[in-house]
Amino acid sequence: EPAPSPQPAESASGSDLSVEQTLWHPVASRRAAYVALDDRPAVRVQEGDVLGRYVVSEIRPSGVVFLQDGKPVERKVGQK
């Protein structure tokens, strides 16, 4: 029997994402965030980075906007 797929079924509005911290700056290239995906340790991302099936669209002081299949998904810092 084949092993289960490592990718879970499409989750509803980024429920597998957790934004731990944002480092906002007026210059977009200097913005960063620490984001955990699927309960893995958080990684540092910048706008334009790809994390799993999400693209980091915009880092805001209060959270991050991701794109999933071209649709925006916003996660606030600390939101579960």
Side-chain angles (χ1 to χ4, degrees):
E1 221 176 277
S5 170
Q7 281 285 28
E10 289 296 312
S11 65
S13 61
S15 61
D16 53 348
L17 287 168
S18 174
V19 177
E20 295 189 359
Q21 180 182 12
T22 60
L23 304 169
W24 192 86
H25 192 278
V27 178
S29 65
R30 298 189 62 185
R31 296 176 196 160
Y34 289 89
V35 180
L37 178 65
D38 293 328
D39 296 320
R40 293 187 186 115
V43 293
R44 186 178 192 273
V45 296
Q46 292 185 284
E47 292 179 0
D49 286 355
V50 176
L51 185 63
R53 60 187 169 277
Y54 301 96
V55 176
V56 180
S57 175
E58 182 184 357
I59 295 172
R60 299 177 176 170
S62 61
V64 179
V65 178
F66 300 90
L67 293 178
Q68 179 185 12
D69 299 324
K71 297 177 186 148
V73 175
E74 182 173 6
R75 300 297 288 173
K76 302 279 187 197
V77 173
Q79 180 181 0
K80 296 288 179 195

Coordinates of all heavy atoms in Angstrom, one line a residue:
E1 N 0.8 -1.2 0.0 CA 0.0 0.0 0.0 C 0.9 1.2 0.0 O 1.9 1.3 0.7 CB -0.9 0.0 1.3 CG -2.3 0.4 1.0 CD -3.1 0.3 2.2 OE1 -3.6 -0.8 2.5 OE2 -3.3 1.3 2.9
P2 N 0.6 2.2 -0.8 CA 1.4 3.4 -0.9 C 1.3 4.2 0.4 O 0.3 4.2 1.1 CB 0.8 4.2 -2.0 CG -0.5 3.7 -2.2 CD -0.6 2.3 -1.8
A3 N 2.4 4.9 0.7 CA 2.5 5.7 2.0 C 1.5 6.9 1.8 O 1.3 7.4 0.6 CB 3.9 6.2 2.2
P4 N 1.0 7.4 2.8 CA 0.1 8.6 2.7 C 0.9 9.8 2.2 O 2.1 9.9 2.4 CB -0.4 8.9 4.1 CG 0.2 7.9 5.0 CD 1.1 7.0 4.2
S5 N 0.2 10.6 1.4 CA 0.8 11.8 0.8 C 1.3 12.7 1.9 O 0.6 13.0 2.9 CB -0.2 12.5 -0.1 OG 0.3 13.8 -0.4
P6 N 2.5 13.3 1.8 CA 3.0 14.2 2.8 C 2.2 15.6 2.8 O 2.2 16.3 3.8 CB 4.4 14.5 2.5 CG 4.5 14.1 1.0 CD 3.5 13.1 0.8
Q7 N 1.5 15.9 1.7 CA 0.7 17.1 1.7 C -0.7 16.8 2.2 O -1.4 16.0 1.6 CB 0.6 17.6 0.2 CG 1.8 18.4 -0.2 CD 1.9 19.8 0.4 OE1 1.4 20.0 1.5 NE2 2.6 20.6 -0.3
P8 N -1.2 17.5 3.2 CA -2.5 17.3 3.7 C -3.5 17.8 2.6 O -3.1 18.6 1.8 CB -2.6 18.0 5.0 CG -1.5 19.1 4.9 CD -0.4 18.4 4.0
A9 N -4.8 17.5 2.8 CA -5.8 18.0 1.9 C -5.8 19.5 2.1 O -5.4 20.0 3.1 CB -7.1 17.5 2.3
E10 N -6.3 20.2 1.1 CA -6.3 21.7 1.1 C -6.9 22.1 2.4 O -8.1 21.7 2.8 CB -7.1 22.2 0.0 CG -6.4 22.1 -1.4 CD -5.1 22.9 -1.4 OE1 -5.1 24.0 -1.1 OE2 -4.1 22.3 -1.9
S11 N -6.2 22.9 3.2 CA -6.8 23.4 4.5 C -7.6 24.7 4.3 O -7.4 25.4 3.3 CB -5.6 23.7 5.4 OG -4.9 24.7 5.0
A12 N -8.5 24.9 5.2 CA -9.4 26.1 5.1 C -8.6 27.3 5.5 O -8.1 27.3 6.7 CB -10.6 25.8 5.9
S13 N -8.4 28.2 4.7 CA -7.9 29.5 5.0 C -6.6 29.5 5.9 O -6.6 30.2 6.9 CB -8.9 30.5 5.6 OG -9.4 30.0 6.7
G14 N -5.6 28.7 5.5 CA -4.3 28.8 6.2 C -4.3 28.3 7.6 O -3.5 28.8 8.4
S15 N -5.2 27.3 7.9 CA -5.2 26.9 9.3 C -3.9 26.1 9.7 O -3.7 25.9 10.9 CB -6.4 26.0 9.5 OG -6.4 24.9 8.7
D16 N -3.1 25.7 8.7 CA -1.9 25.1 9.0 C -0.7 26.1 9.1 O 0.4 25.7 9.3 CB -1.6 24.0 7.9 CG -1.6 24.6 6.5 OD1 -2.1 25.7 6.3 OD2 -1.2 23.9 5.6
L17 N -1.0 27.4 9.0 CA 0.0 28.4 9.2 C 0.0 29.1 10.5 O -1.1 29.3 11.0 CB -0.2 29.5 8.1 CG 0.1 29.2 6.7 CD1 -0.5 30.3 5.8 CD2 1.6 29.0 6.5
S18 N 1.1 29.4 11.1 CA 1.2 30.2 12.3 C 2.3 31.2 12.2 O 3.4 30.9 12.0 CB 1.4 29.2 13.5 OG 1.6 30.0 14.7
V19 N 1.9 32.5 12.3 CA 2.9 33.6 12.3 C 3.3 33.9 13.7 O 2.5 34.2 14.5 CB 2.3 34.8 11.6 CG1 3.3 36.0 11.7 CG2 1.8 34.6 10.2
E20 N 4.6 33.7 14.0 CA 5.1 33.8 15.3 C 5.6 35.3 15.5 O 5.5 35.8 16.7 CB 6.2 32.8 15.6 CG 5.7 31.4 15.6 CD 6.8 30.4 16.0 OE1 7.9 30.8 16.3 OE2 6.4 29.2 16.1
Q21 N 6.1 35.9 14.5 CA 6.7 37.3 14.7 C 6.8 37.9 13.3 O 7.1 37.2 12.3 CB 8.1 37.2 15.3 CG 8.7 38.5 15.6 CD 10.1 38.4 16.1 OE1 10.7 37.3 16.2 NE2 10.7 39.4 16.6
T22 N 6.6 39.2 13.3 CA 6.9 40.0 12.1 C 7.9 41.0 12.4 O 8.0 41.6 13.5 CB 5.6 40.7 11.5 OG1 5.1 41.6 12.5 CG2 4.5 39.7 11.1
L23 N 8.8 41.3 11.4 CA 9.8 42.4 11.5 C 9.4 43.3 10.4 O 9.9 43.1 9.2 CB 11.2 41.8 11.3 CG 11.5 40.6 12.3 CD1 12.8 40.0 11.9 CD2 11.6 41.2 13.7
W24 N 8.6 44.3 10.6 CA 8.1 45.2 9.6 C 9.1 46.4 9.4 O 9.8 46.8 10.3 CB 6.8 45.8 10.0 CG 6.1 46.4 8.8 CD1 5.4 45.8 7.8 CD2 6.2 47.8 8.4 NE1 5.0 46.8 6.9 CE2 5.5 48.0 7.2 CE3 6.8 48.9 9.0 CZ2 5.3 49.2 6.6 CZ3 6.6 50.2 8.4 CH2 5.9 50.3 7.2
H25 N 9.2 46.8 8.2 CA 10.1 47.9 7.8 C 9.4 48.7 6.6 O 8.8 48.0 5.8 CB 11.5 47.4 7.4 CG 12.5 48.5 7.3 ND1 12.7 49.2 6.1 CD2 13.5 48.9 8.1 CE1 13.7 50.1 6.3 NE2 14.2 49.9 7.5
P26 N 9.6 50.0 6.6 CA 9.0 50.7 5.4 C 9.5 50.2 4.1 O 8.8 50.3 3.1 CB 9.4 52.2 5.7 CG 9.9 52.3 7.1 CD 10.2 50.9 7.5
V27 N 10.7 49.7 4.0 CA 11.2 49.2 2.8 C 10.9 47.7 2.7 O 11.3 46.9 3.6 CB 12.8 49.4 2.7 CG1 13.3 48.8 1.5 CG2 13.1 50.9 2.9
A28 N 10.1 47.4 1.7 CA 9.6 46.0 1.6 C 10.7 44.9 1.6 O 10.5 43.9 2.2 CB 8.7 45.8 0.3
S29 N 11.8 45.2 1.0 CA 12.9 44.2 1.0 C 13.5 43.9 2.3 O 14.2 42.9 2.5 CB 14.0 44.6 0.0 OG 14.6 45.8 0.4
R30 N 13.2 44.8 3.3 CA 13.8 44.6 4.7 C 12.8 44.0 5.6 O 13.1 43.8 6.8 CB 14.3 45.9 5.2 CG 15.5 46.4 4.3 CD 16.2 47.5 4.9 NE 16.8 47.2 6.2 CZ 17.4 48.1 6.9 NH1 17.5 49.3 6.6 NH2 18.0 47.7 8.1
R31 N 11.5 43.7 5.1 CA 10.5 43.0 6.0 C 10.8 41.5 6.1 O 11.2 40.9 5.1 CB 9.1 43.3 5.4 CG 8.7 44.7 5.4 CD 7.4 44.9 4.7 NE 7.2 46.3 4.4 CZ 6.4 46.8 3.5 NH1 5.6 46.0 2.8 NH2 6.3 48.1 3.3
A32 N 10.5 41.0 7.2 CA 10.6 39.5 7.4 C 9.6 39.1 8.4 O 9.0 39.9 9.1 CB 12.0 39.2 7.9
A33 N 9.3 37.8 8.4 CA 8.4 37.2 9.4 C 8.9 35.8 9.7 O 9.6 35.1 8.9 CB 7.0 37.1 8.8
Y34 N 8.6 35.3 10.9 CA 8.8 33.9 11.3 C 7.5 33.2 11.3 O 6.6 33.5 12.0 CB 9.5 33.9 12.7 CG 10.9 34.4 12.6 CD1 11.2 35.7 12.8 CD2 12.0 33.5 12.3 CE1 12.5 36.2 12.7 CE2 13.3 34.0 12.3 CZ 13.5 35.3 12.4 OH 14.8 35.8 12.3
V35 N 7.5 32.2 10.4 CA 6.2 31.5 10.1 C 6.4 30.0 10.3 O 7.4 29.4 9.8 CB 5.7 31.8 8.7 CG1 4.4 31.1 8.4 CG2 5.5 33.3 8.5
A36 N 5.5 29.3 11.0 CA 5.5 27.9 11.1 C 4.4 27.3 10.2 O 3.3 27.8 10.1 CB 5.3 27.5 12.6
L37 N 4.7 26.2 9.6 CA 3.8 25.5 8.7 C 3.7 24.0 9.2 O 4.7 23.4 9.4 CB 4.3 25.5 7.2 CG 3.4 24.8 6.2 CD1 2.1 25.5 6.1 CD2 4.1 24.8 4.9
D38 N 2.4 23.6 9.3 CA 2.2 22.2 9.7 C 2.9 21.8 11.0 O 3.5 20.7 11.1 CB 2.6 21.2 8.6 CG 1.7 21.3 7.4 OD1 0.5 21.7 7.5 OD2 2.2 21.1 6.3
D39 N 2.9 22.7 12.0 CA 3.5 22.5 13.3 C 5.0 22.2 13.3 O 5.6 21.6 14.2 CB 2.8 21.3 14.1 CG 1.3 21.6 14.4 OD1 1.1 22.8 14.7 OD2 0.5 20.8 14.2
R40 N 5.6 22.6 12.2 CA 7.1 22.5 12.1 C 7.7 23.7 12.7 O 7.0 24.7 12.9 CB 7.5 22.4 10.6 CG 7.1 21.1 10.0 CD 7.7 21.0 8.6 NE 7.2 19.8 7.9 CZ 6.4 19.8 6.8 NH1 6.1 21.0 6.3 NH2 6.0 18.7 6.3
P41 N 9.0 23.7 13.1 CA 9.6 25.0 13.6 C 9.5 26.1 12.6 O 9.5 25.9 11.4 CB 11.1 24.6 13.8 CG 11.1 23.1 13.9 CD 9.9 22.6 13.0
A42 N 9.3 27.3 13.2 CA 9.2 28.5 12.4 C 10.4 28.8 11.5 O 11.6 28.5 12.0 CB 8.9 29.7 13.2
V43 N 10.2 29.3 10.3 CA 11.3 29.7 9.5 C 11.2 31.2 9.1 O 10.1 31.7 9.1 CB 11.4 28.8 8.2 CG1 11.7 27.4 8.5 CG2 10.1 29.0 7.4
R44 N 12.3 31.8 8.8 CA 12.3 33.2 8.4 C 11.9 33.3 7.0 O 12.5 32.7 6.1 CB 13.6 33.8 8.7 CG 13.7 35.3 8.5 CD 15.1 35.8 8.8 NE 15.2 37.3 8.9 CZ 15.4 38.1 7.9 NH1 15.6 37.6 6.6 NH2 15.5 39.4 8.0
V45 N 10.9 34.2 6.7 CA 10.5 34.4 5.3 C 10.5 35.9 5.0 O 10.4 36.7 5.9 CB 9.1 33.8 5.0 CG1 9.1 32.3 5.1 CG2 8.0 34.4 5.9
Q46 N 10.5 36.2 3.7 CA 10.4 37.6 3.2 C 9.3 37.6 2.1 O 8.9 36.5 1.6 CB 11.7 38.1 2.6 CG 12.8 38.2 3.7 CD 14.1 38.8 3.2 OE1 14.8 38.2 2.5 NE2 14.3 40.1 3.5
E47 N 8.9 38.8 1.8 CA 7.8 38.9 0.8 C 8.3 38.3 -0.5 O 9.5 38.5 -0.9 CB 7.5 40.4 0.5 CG 6.7 40.9 1.8 CD 6.3 42.4 1.6 OE1 6.6 43.0 0.6 OE2 5.7 42.9 2.6
G48 N 7.5 37.4 -1.2 CA 7.8 36.7 -2.4 C 8.3 35.3 -2.2 O 8.4 34.5 -3.1
D49 N 8.6 34.9 -0.9 CA 9.1 33.6 -0.6 C 7.9 32.6 -0.7 O 6.8 33.0 -0.5 CB 9.7 33.5 0.8 CG 11.1 34.1 0.9 OD1 11.6 34.6 -0.1 OD2 11.6 34.2 2.0
V50 N 8.3 31.4 -1.0 CA 7.3 30.3 -1.1 C 7.5 29.4 0.1 O 8.6 29.0 0.5 CB 7.5 29.5 -2.4 CG1 6.5 28.3 -2.4 CG2 7.3 30.3 -3.6
L51 N 6.4 29.1 0.8 CA 6.4 28.2 2.0 C 5.3 27.2 1.8 O 4.1 27.5 1.9 CB 6.1 29.1 3.2 CG 6.3 28.3 4.6 CD1 7.7 27.8 4.8 CD2 5.9 29.2 5.7
G52 N 5.7 26.0 1.5 CA 4.7 24.9 1.1 C 3.9 25.4 -0.1 O 4.5 25.7 -1.1
R53 N 2.6 25.4 0.1 CA 1.8 25.8 -1.1 C 1.3 27.2 -1.0 O 0.4 27.7 -1.6 CB 0.5 24.9 -1.2 CG -0.3 24.9 0.1 CD -1.4 23.9 0.0 NE -2.1 23.7 1.2 CZ -1.7 22.9 2.2 NH1 -0.6 22.3 2.1 NH2 -2.4 22.9 3.3
Y54 N 2.0 28.0 -0.1 CA 1.7 29.4 0.1 C 2.8 30.3 -0.5 O 4.0 30.0 -0.4 CB 1.5 29.7 1.6 CG 0.4 28.9 2.2 CD1 0.7 27.8 2.9 CD2 -0.9 29.4 2.1 CE1 -0.3 27.0 3.5 CE2 -1.9 28.6 2.7 CZ -1.6 27.5 3.4 OH -2.6 26.7 4.0
V55 N 2.5 31.5 -1.0 CA 3.4 32.5 -1.3 C 3.3 33.7 -0.3 O 2.1 34.1 -0.1 CB 3.2 33.0 -2.8 CG1 4.2 34.1 -3.1 CG2 3.3 31.9 -3.8
V56 N 4.4 34.2 0.2 CA 4.3 35.3 1.1 C 4.1 36.6 0.3 O 4.9 37.0 -0.5 CB 5.6 35.4 1.9 CG1 5.5 36.6 2.9 CG2 5.9 34.2 2.7
S57 N 2.9 37.1 0.4 CA 2.5 38.2 -0.5 C 2.8 39.6 0.2 O 3.4 40.4 -0.4 CB 1.0 38.2 -0.7 OG 0.5 39.3 -1.4
E58 N 2.5 39.7 1.5 CA 2.8 41.0 2.1 C 3.0 40.8 3.6 O 2.2 40.0 4.3 CB 1.6 42.0 2.0 CG 1.8 43.3 2.6 CD 0.6 44.2 2.5 OE1 -0.4 43.8 1.8 OE2 0.6 45.3 3.0
I59 N 4.0 41.4 4.2 CA 4.3 41.3 5.6 C 3.8 42.6 6.2 O 4.3 43.7 5.8 CB 5.8 41.0 5.9 CG1 6.1 39.6 5.4 CG2 6.1 41.2 7.4 CD1 7.6 39.3 5.4
R60 N 2.9 42.5 7.2 CA 2.4 43.7 7.8 C 2.8 43.7 9.3 O 3.2 42.7 9.8 CB 0.8 43.7 7.8 CG 0.3 43.7 6.3 CD -1.2 43.6 6.3 NE -1.7 43.7 5.0 CZ -2.9 43.4 4.6 NH1 -3.8 43.0 5.5 NH2 -3.3 43.6 3.4
P61 N 2.7 44.9 10.0 CA 3.1 44.9 11.4 C 2.4 43.8 12.2 O 2.9 43.3 13.2 CB 2.8 46.3 11.8 CG 2.9 47.1 10.6 CD 2.4 46.2 9.5
S62 N 1.1 43.6 11.9 CA 0.2 42.7 12.7 C 0.1 41.3 12.2 O -0.5 40.5 12.8 CB -1.2 43.3 12.9 OG -1.7 43.4 11.6
G63 N 0.7 41.0 11.0 CA 0.5 39.7 10.4 C 1.1 39.6 9.0 O 1.8 40.5 8.6
V64 N 0.7 38.5 8.4 CA 1.2 38.2 7.0 C 0.1 37.9 6.1 O -0.8 37.1 6.5 CB 2.2 37.1 7.1 CG1 2.8 36.8 5.7 CG2 3.4 37.4 8.0
V65 N 0.1 38.4 4.9 CA -0.8 38.0 3.8 C -0.1 37.0 2.9 O 0.9 37.3 2.4 CB -1.4 39.2 3.0 CG1 -2.3 38.7 1.9 CG2 -2.1 40.2 3.9
F66 N -0.7 35.8 2.8 CA -0.2 34.7 1.9 C -1.1 34.6 0.7 O -2.3 35.0 0.8 CB -0.1 33.4 2.6 CG 0.7 33.4 3.9 CD1 0.2 33.7 5.1 CD2 2.0 33.0 3.8 CE1 0.9 33.7 6.3 CE2 2.8 33.0 4.9 CZ 2.3 33.3 6.2
L67 N -0.6 34.0 -0.4 CA -1.5 33.6 -1.5 C -1.5 32.1 -1.5 O -0.5 31.5 -1.5 CB -1.0 34.2 -2.8 CG -1.0 35.7 -2.9 CD1 -0.4 36.1 -4.3 CD2 -2.4 36.3 -2.8
Q68 N -2.7 31.6 -1.6 CA -2.9 30.1 -1.8 C -3.8 30.0 -3.0 O -4.9 30.4 -3.0 CB -3.6 29.5 -0.5 CG -3.8 28.0 -0.7 CD -4.6 27.4 0.5 OE1 -5.1 28.1 1.3 NE2 -4.6 26.1 0.5
D69 N -3.2 29.4 -4.0 CA -3.9 29.2 -5.3 C -4.4 30.6 -5.8 O -5.5 30.7 -6.3 CB -5.1 28.3 -5.2 CG -4.6 26.9 -4.8 OD1 -3.5 26.5 -5.3 OD2 -5.3 26.2 -4.1
G70 N -3.6 31.6 -5.6 CA -3.9 33.0 -6.0 C -4.9 33.7 -5.2 O -5.2 34.9 -5.4
K71 N -5.4 33.1 -4.1 CA -6.3 33.8 -3.2 C -5.6 34.2 -1.9 O -4.9 33.5 -1.3 CB -7.5 32.8 -2.8 CG -8.3 32.4 -4.0 CD -9.3 31.4 -3.6 CE -10.0 30.9 -4.9 NZ -10.5 29.5 -4.8
P72 N -5.9 35.5 -1.4 CA -5.2 35.9 -0.2 C -5.7 35.2 1.0 O -6.9 35.0 1.2 CB -5.6 37.4 -0.2 CG -6.8 37.6 -1.0 CD -6.8 36.5 -2.0
V73 N -4.8 34.9 1.9 CA -5.1 34.3 3.2 C -4.3 35.1 4.2 O -3.0 35.2 4.1 CB -4.6 32.8 3.3 CG1 -4.8 32.3 4.7 CG2 -5.4 32.0 2.2
E74 N -4.9 35.8 5.1 CA -4.2 36.6 6.1 C -4.2 35.9 7.5 O -5.2 35.3 7.9 CB -4.9 38.0 6.3 CG -4.1 38.9 7.3 CD -4.6 40.3 7.4 OE1 -5.7 40.6 6.8 OE2 -4.0 41.1 8.1
R75 N -3.0 35.9 8.1 CA -2.8 35.3 9.4 C -2.2 36.4 10.3 O -1.2 36.9 9.9 CB -1.9 34.1 9.3 CG -2.4 32.9 8.5 CD -3.7 32.4 8.9 NE -3.5 31.6 10.1 CZ -4.5 31.1 10.9 NH1 -5.7 31.3 10.5 NH2 -4.2 30.4 11.9
K76 N -2.8 36.6 11.4 CA -2.3 37.6 12.4 C -1.2 36.9 13.3 O -1.2 35.7 13.4 CB -3.4 38.0 13.3 CG -4.6 38.7 12.6 CD -4.3 40.1 12.2 CE -5.6 40.8 11.7 NZ -5.2 42.0 11.0
V77 N -0.4 37.7 13.8 CA 0.7 37.2 14.7 C 0.0 36.5 15.9 O -1.0 37.0 16.5 CB 1.6 38.3 15.3 CG1 2.5 37.8 16.3 CG2 2.4 38.9 14.1
G78 N 0.4 35.2 16.1 CA -0.2 34.4 17.2 C -1.5 33.8 17.0 O -2.0 33.0 17.8
Q79 N -2.1 34.0 15.8 CA -3.4 33.4 15.5 C -3.2 31.9 15.2 O -2.3 31.5 14.5 CB -4.0 34.1 14.2 CG -5.3 33.6 13.8 CD -5.8 34.3 12.5 OE1 -5.2 35.2 12.0 NE2 -7.0 33.9 12.0
K80 N -4.1 31.1 15.8 CA -4.1 29.7 15.6 C -5.2 29.2 14.6 O -6.2 29.8 14.6 CB -4.2 28.9 16.9 CG -3.1 29.2 17.8 CD -1.8 28.5 17.4 CE -0.7 28.8 18.4 NZ 0.6 28.5 17.9

